[in-house]
Amino acid sequence: MIRTVSASLEPIREKVEAGERLDAREALSLWDESVDLHELGELANLVRERKNGNAGYYNINTHLNPTNVCVYRCTFCAFRADLRDPRGYVMDDAQILARGREAVDAGSTEMHIVGGLHHQKDYDWYLGVIRVLHDAYPTLHLKAWTPVEIDWFRHLTKRSVREILVEMRDAGLGSLPGGGAEIFHPEVRDKICEHKADTDAWLDIHRTAHSLGLRSNATMLYGHIENAFHRTDHLLRLRALQDETGGFQTFIPLAFHPDNTRLSHLSKPSATMSLRTMAVSRLVLDNFDHVKAYWIMLGIGTAQAALAYGADDLDGTVRHELIYHDAGATTPEVLSVDQIRRLIREAGRDPVERDTLYHEVVRDGSGWHSGAKIPSGAVR
Ligand code: V47
């Protein structure tokens, strides 16, 4: 793939309007600052609207990071701790169950579970996290473990990824979150997270999950040492896997937060960079139904604006998020349902509560159930 190219937006506009796929050269050209950001946003908005109408999705969710102790030292991570670091913690079953109770009482439909790879915890401890939560709270969808954890479990157990995923699924795993993708290109990956699951492992674990009927998300960490070529390469690798499996639900571009990391000398990406990333992602990932503006890391204002630059989802009300807050995010710890609905309405969209697998959530006083599957856009 060529590394730099600048282009007028006109031929791309024609292709997007005709529902045609952008090629690698066109995708790369969209990052050039000579391409007007707002025109780009308008095109991405057209795609968003075709796929999702005027809906602005959100869910009610809670995070659980059972430990921050991690064998890896990714340069961008402020959350991890060494084994003997006073900041290090490990939750026991009682604490995990208390978090589950709190989630259910708050009306959460989903628990997002990721954590460090603890030097002294075996695979059964991680399996137990899923099992105790699912046994106690069977209606809570457990969106847990990225390929980084699954690859670590493979290393610990010497068993196949398929076997591990089947066992996790049988214990209550509902789907996989999108983390651990960072930047796939080895020129960057080898510098920011050289030891953890490599690109082929990341993609292959999602491929295996999809073949088992587990849906998943995908992310891209941008705004650090990568460039337009690496971001384009990342999106194209995801698009190719989605062509093969159709198992991804949502793409989430993640803006790098430098505070308390080994990359703290970098500044965080600007709002315009975030909006461009959202728009380019929406235009290139023509086979993804959803693009998420994760308000925790974008900040509320940029996340609202992103709903006009290709994003159709704000993630959730979120409680107990640590990864971004440890890295300097100044967003609140939690939004109320009224607040998130108001943010979506202010941005001109109709708020729709969804579950993790994109069914509309129906609430009837005390409880909730999943209603109709949210239709996916037929037009690219
Ligand atoms: O993989 C870590 C990123 C990811 C920093 O699937 C950082 O619905 C910025 O994947 N600055 C974890 N980013 C979070 C994640 C996620 C978030 C929301 C929704 C979903 C979903 C998934 O956070 C990591 C890494 O790429 N990250 N540290 C940092 N300092």
Coordinates of all heavy atoms in Angstrom, one line a residue, residues 63 76-78 112 143 176-182 196 217 219 221 252 254-259 261 292 294 315 323-324 327, ligand 1:
H63 N -18.6 -1.2 34.5 CA -17.3 -1.8 34.2 C -16.8 -2.6 35.4 O -17.1 -2.2 36.5 CB -16.2 -0.7 33.8 CG -16.4 -0.2 32.4 ND1 -15.4 0.0 31.6 CD2 -17.5 0.3 31.8 CE1 -15.8 0.5 30.4 NE2 -17.1 0.6 30.5
F76 N 1.4 2.8 26.5 CA 0.3 3.8 26.6 C -0.6 3.6 27.8 O -1.6 4.3 27.9 CB -0.6 3.6 25.3 CG -1.1 2.2 25.1 CD1 -2.2 1.7 25.8 CD2 -0.4 1.3 24.3 CE1 -2.6 0.4 25.6 CE2 -0.8 0.0 24.2 CZ -1.9 -0.4 24.8
C77 N -0.3 2.6 28.7 CA -1.3 2.2 29.7 C -0.9 2.9 31.0 O 0.2 2.7 31.5 CB -1.3 0.7 29.8 SG -2.5 0.1 31.0
A78 N -1.9 3.5 31.6 CA -1.7 4.1 33.0 C -2.4 3.3 34.0 O -2.3 3.6 35.2 CB -2.3 5.5 33.0
H112 N -19.0 -4.8 31.4 CA -17.8 -4.8 30.5 C -16.6 -5.2 31.4 O -16.2 -4.4 32.3 CB -17.6 -3.4 30.0 CG -16.5 -3.2 29.0 ND1 -16.4 -2.2 28.1 CD2 -15.3 -3.8 28.9 CE1 -15.3 -2.2 27.4 NE2 -14.6 -3.2 27.9
K143 N -19.7 -8.9 28.7 CA -18.9 -8.6 27.5 C -17.5 -8.6 28.1 O -17.1 -7.6 28.8 CB -19.3 -7.2 27.0 CG -18.5 -6.8 25.8 CD -19.0 -5.4 25.3 CE -18.4 -4.3 26.1 NZ -18.8 -3.0 25.6
L176 N -17.3 -10.4 23.1 CA -16.0 -9.9 23.4 C -16.0 -8.4 23.1 O -16.5 -7.9 22.1 CB -15.0 -10.5 22.4 CG -14.2 -11.8 22.9 CD1 -15.1 -12.9 23.3 CD2 -13.3 -12.3 21.8
P177 N -15.3 -7.6 24.0 CA -15.2 -6.2 23.8 C -14.1 -6.0 22.7 O -13.4 -6.9 22.3 CB -14.7 -5.6 25.1 CG -14.0 -6.8 25.8 CD -14.7 -8.0 25.3
G178 N -13.9 -4.7 22.4 CA -13.0 -4.4 21.2 C -11.5 -4.1 21.6 O -10.8 -3.8 20.7
G179 N -11.2 -4.2 22.8 CA -9.9 -3.7 23.3 C -8.7 -4.6 22.8 O -8.9 -5.6 22.2
G180 N -7.5 -4.0 23.0 CA -6.3 -4.7 22.7 C -5.8 -4.6 21.3 O -4.8 -5.1 20.9
A181 N -6.6 -3.9 20.4 CA -6.3 -3.9 19.0 C -5.2 -2.8 18.8 O -4.3 -3.0 18.0 CB -7.5 -3.5 18.2
E182 N -5.2 -1.8 19.6 CA -4.2 -0.7 19.5 C -4.0 -0.2 18.0 O -4.9 0.2 17.4 CB -2.9 -1.1 20.2 CG -3.0 -2.0 21.4 CD -4.1 -1.5 22.5 OE1 -4.7 -0.5 22.3 OE2 -4.3 -2.3 23.5
K196 N 2.6 -8.3 24.0 CA 1.2 -8.9 24.1 C 0.7 -9.4 22.7 O 1.4 -9.2 21.7 CB 0.2 -7.9 24.7 CG -0.3 -6.8 23.8 CD -1.2 -6.0 24.7 CE -1.9 -4.9 23.8 NZ -2.6 -4.0 24.7
N217 N -16.6 -6.5 19.3 CA -16.3 -5.2 18.8 C -14.9 -5.0 18.4 O -14.1 -6.0 18.7 CB -16.6 -4.2 20.0 CG -18.1 -4.1 20.3 OD1 -19.0 -4.5 19.5 ND2 -18.4 -3.8 21.5
T219 N -11.5 -2.0 18.2 CA -11.1 -0.6 18.5 C -9.8 -0.2 17.7 O -9.2 -1.1 17.1 CB -10.8 -0.5 20.0 OG1 -9.7 -1.4 20.3 CG2 -12.0 -0.7 20.9
L221 N -6.5 2.5 18.7 CA -6.0 3.5 19.6 C -5.2 4.5 18.7 O -4.2 4.1 18.1 CB -5.1 2.9 20.6 CG -4.4 3.8 21.7 CD1 -5.4 4.4 22.6 CD2 -3.4 3.0 22.5
I252 N -14.9 1.2 17.6 CA -14.7 2.3 18.5 C -13.3 2.9 18.4 O -12.3 2.3 18.8 CB -14.9 1.8 20.0 CG1 -16.2 1.0 20.1 CG2 -14.9 2.9 21.0 CD1 -16.0 -0.4 20.8
L254 N -10.4 5.0 19.7 CA -10.1 5.4 21.1 C -9.0 6.4 21.0 O -7.8 6.2 20.6 CB -9.6 4.2 21.9 CG -10.6 3.1 22.1 CD1 -10.0 1.8 22.7 CD2 -11.8 3.6 23.0
A255 N -9.3 7.6 21.5 CA -8.3 8.7 21.5 C -7.3 8.5 22.7 O -7.7 8.3 23.8 CB -9.0 10.0 21.8
F256 N -6.0 8.6 22.3 CA -5.0 8.3 23.4 C -5.0 9.4 24.4 O -5.0 10.6 24.2 CB -3.6 8.3 22.7 CG -2.5 8.2 23.6 CD1 -2.4 7.1 24.6 CD2 -1.4 9.1 23.7 CE1 -1.4 7.0 25.5 CE2 -0.4 9.0 24.6 CZ -0.4 7.9 25.5
H257 N -4.9 9.0 25.7 CA -4.8 9.9 26.9 C -3.4 9.7 27.5 O -3.1 8.6 28.0 CB -5.9 9.5 27.9 CG -7.2 10.2 27.7 ND1 -7.6 11.3 28.5 CD2 -8.1 10.0 26.8 CE1 -8.8 11.7 28.0 NE2 -9.1 10.9 27.0
P258 N -2.6 10.7 27.4 CA -1.1 10.5 27.8 C -0.8 10.5 29.3 O 0.2 10.0 29.7 CB -0.4 11.6 27.1 CG -1.4 12.6 26.8 CD -2.8 12.0 26.8
D259 N -1.6 11.1 30.1 CA -1.2 11.3 31.5 C -0.9 10.0 32.2 O -1.6 9.0 32.0 CB -2.4 12.0 32.3 CG -2.6 13.4 31.9 OD1 -1.9 13.9 31.0 OD2 -3.5 14.1 32.4
T261 N 1.4 7.9 31.7 CA 1.8 6.8 30.9 C 3.3 7.0 30.5 O 3.8 8.1 30.7 CB 1.0 6.6 29.5 OG1 1.4 7.7 28.7 CG2 -0.5 6.7 29.8
K292 N -18.9 3.8 17.3 CA -19.2 4.4 18.7 C -18.3 5.5 19.0 O -17.1 5.5 18.8 CB -19.0 3.2 19.7 CG -19.5 3.4 21.1 CD -19.1 2.3 22.0 CE -19.9 1.1 22.0 NZ -19.6 0.1 23.0
Y294 N -17.1 7.0 22.2 CA -17.0 6.6 23.6 C -16.8 7.9 24.4 O -15.7 8.4 24.4 CB -15.9 5.6 23.7 CG -15.7 5.0 25.1 CD1 -16.8 4.7 25.9 CD2 -14.4 4.8 25.6 CE1 -16.6 4.1 27.1 CE2 -14.2 4.2 26.8 CZ -15.3 3.9 27.6 OH -15.1 3.3 28.8
D315 N -21.9 4.6 23.6 CA -21.6 3.6 24.6 C -22.6 3.8 25.7 O -23.8 4.0 25.4 CB -20.2 3.8 25.2 CG -19.7 2.5 26.0 OD1 -19.4 1.5 25.3 OD2 -19.6 2.6 27.2
I323 N -9.6 2.6 33.2 CA -8.5 2.7 32.3 C -8.3 4.1 31.8 O -7.1 4.6 31.7 CB -8.8 1.7 31.1 CG1 -8.8 0.3 31.6 CG2 -7.7 1.9 30.0 CD1 -9.1 -0.8 30.6
Y324 N -9.3 4.9 31.5 CA -9.2 6.2 31.0 C -9.0 7.2 32.1 O -8.3 8.2 32.0 CB -10.4 6.6 30.1 CG -10.2 6.1 28.7 CD1 -10.6 4.9 28.4 CD2 -9.5 6.8 27.8 CE1 -10.4 4.3 27.2 CE2 -9.2 6.3 26.6 CZ -9.7 5.1 26.3 OH -9.4 4.5 25.0
A327 N -5.6 7.5 33.2 CA -4.8 8.2 32.2 C -5.2 9.6 32.0 O -4.9 10.2 31.0 CB -4.8 7.4 30.9
Ligands
V47_1 O1 -7.2 -1.8 24.6 C1 -5.5 2.0 27.3 C2 -7.1 1.7 25.4 C3 -8.6 0.0 25.5 C4 -5.2 4.1 27.2 O2 -15.9 -2.9 23.1 C5 -6.1 3.7 26.3 O3 -17.6 -1.7 23.6 C6 -6.3 5.9 25.6 O4 -11.3 -1.4 24.4 N1 -5.4 6.3 26.5 C7 -9.6 -0.7 26.4 N2 -6.7 4.6 25.4 C8 -11.0 0.0 26.3 C9 -11.8 -0.6 25.2 C10 -13.2 -0.3 25.0 C11 -13.8 0.9 25.5 C12 -15.1 1.1 25.4 C13 -16.0 0.2 24.8 C14 -15.4 -0.9 24.3 C15 -16.4 -1.9 23.6 C16 -14.1 -1.2 24.4 O5 -8.3 1.2 26.0 C17 -7.2 -0.7 25.4 C18 -6.4 0.5 24.8 O6 -6.6 0.5 23.5 N3 -6.3 2.4 26.3 N4 -4.8 3.0 27.9 C19 -4.8 5.4 27.3 N5 -3.9 5.9 28.2

